[in-house]
Amino acid sequence: MVNIPHPRVAFGDLPDQFNADADEVRLSRKTLAGLLDLYISSWDFDEDWYLTTYPDIAAAVSSARFASGWAHFRSVGYLEGRLGSPTIVDSEWYLETYPDVAQAMLEGKIASAAEHFENFGYAEGRLPSNPGVDARWYARRYMHVRKPSEEEKNAHEDFVRRGYRGLALPASPR
């Protein structure tokens, strides 16, 4: 079990700001960094892969500008758009889902789906493989569908095109 402190302990008055009618909340840099750290800390991270993939970070670690690749990733690497571990790209699914990438491969502009994802797709908000959307749950939660309908058939596409970028979950976390 992860021990996460009470929101008031970790983030002061942040919970109170959500009770206001305003569309915006004010966060200190420290609070935002804390929230991002909680978010990022749950991800897989491969130190060796990170330092091999990003030689500039390996050099920064060697020169003691950062204590480790993990320290870099947590503090700025994620915000720079770097991946923390290798990603398995389901080439068949990726090319079927993103026909523009398939066309780029046919035209010789890229060599593989994996190359596209690592160099462009991640930053563009594309998914590397089928996210396993629970269509009924997703349609009810995010598409506001109250009963089974045609919208459930569109849930997978909605998640791939919009939901993922909007931080929606593909299925219930329970």
Side-chain angles (χ1 to χ4, degrees), residues 131-152:
V133 175
D134 177 336
R136 174 171 277 178
W137 181 86
Y138 183 87
R140 287 182 178 165
R141 170 100 185 227
Y142 298 109
M143 300 169 74
H144 310 292
V145 172
R146 299 285 178 229
K147 59 185 178 178
S149 71
E150 289 297 309
E151 286 302 313
E152 283 186 29

Side-chain angles (χ1 to χ4, degrees), residues 43-44 46 49 53-54 73 81-91 93-94 112-119 121-122 126-130 164:
W43 296 2
D44 289 336
D46 183 328
W49 179 88
T53 303
Y54 305 114
F73 183 72
R82 299 179 194 250
L83 293 166
S85 62
T87 303
I88 297 171
V89 177
D90 178 339
S91 295
W93 181 87
Y94 195 83
S112 68
E115 175 191 315
H116 181 273
F117 180 78
E118 288 176 12
N119 294 323
Y122 177 59
R126 299 183 196 234
L127 292 160
S129 59
N130 189 331
Y164 170 68

Side-chain angles (χ1 to χ4, degrees), residues 142 162-168:
Y142 298 109
R162 297 178 328 112
Y164 170 68
R165 289 172 182 84
L167 302 178

